[in-house]
Amino acid sequence: MLIIEKSEIINTVCICAKMYKENLENRNIMFIYKDEKTKFIEAKFLKSNFLHLTGIKPRNLKANEFYDKCIHNRILESEIRIQKRWKYENEAYGITNANEYK
């Protein structure tokens, strides 16, 4: 397994924050699926929800502060802790390929 460097994770999360802002922030999206019958769930994508989607644990930053720092490429390596699941490329495939969507 290839270990991902913290700087690469930060770069990718900053790209994703900009994509989140452009495409999801303050929007409601209805997910429709079929179990035994058709069901749906609606999700609202708030600024404060972005951190949860990253799997990153900030040090002394609130969710909105983390998001704003990512948007402006100002997040520092010392301000975050990376969860174990982030350390391997194959386990973080979706978000590490965000560069393809710039």
Side-chain angles (χ1 to χ4, degrees):
M1 294 184 184
L2 180 63
I3 295 178
I4 302 173
E5 295 298 322
K6 202 172 191 180
S7 60
E8 184 180 350
I9 293 170
I10 289 171
N11 181 55
T12 300
V13 169
C14 289
I15 290 167
C16 289
K18 292 174 186 83
M19 292 169 56
Y20 184 93
K21 182 173 184 61
E22 183 178 324
N23 298 294
L24 295 172
E25 187 180 331
N26 294 322
R27 292 194 176 142
N28 289 22
I29 296 179
M30 183 179 296
F31 297 92
I32 302 171
Y33 62 98
K34 189 167 187 160
D35 197 347
E36 292 178 13
K37 60 181 183 174
T38 302
K39 298 179 182 180
F40 69 91
I41 186 168
E42 187 174 5
K44 183 164 187 171
F45 292 84
L46 301 173
K47 180 178 180 175
S48 59
N49 297 135
F50 178 75
L51 173 61
H52 169 73
L53 299 174
T54 67
I56 289 176
K57 297 288 184 192
R59 298 175 194 259
N60 301 317
L61 290 176
K62 296 186 189 246
N64 286 350
E65 293 171 317
F66 173 82
Y67 181 65
D68 288 336
K69 283 186 163 235
C70 288
I71 293 290
H72 296 97
N73 295 318
R74 293 196 175 131
I75 195 84
L76 304 174
E77 288 187 26
S78 61
E79 294 177 309
I80 63 170
R81 289 179 297 151
I82 305 299
Q83 294 185 23
K84 286 183 182 179
R85 69 172 176 246
W86 250 111
K87 292 189 178 183
Y88 299 102
E89 186 172 18
N90 65 333
E91 295 173 1
Y93 179 78
I95 199 161
T96 57
N97 286 307
N99 290 317
E100 296 174 20
Y101 301 100
K102 287 198 267 184

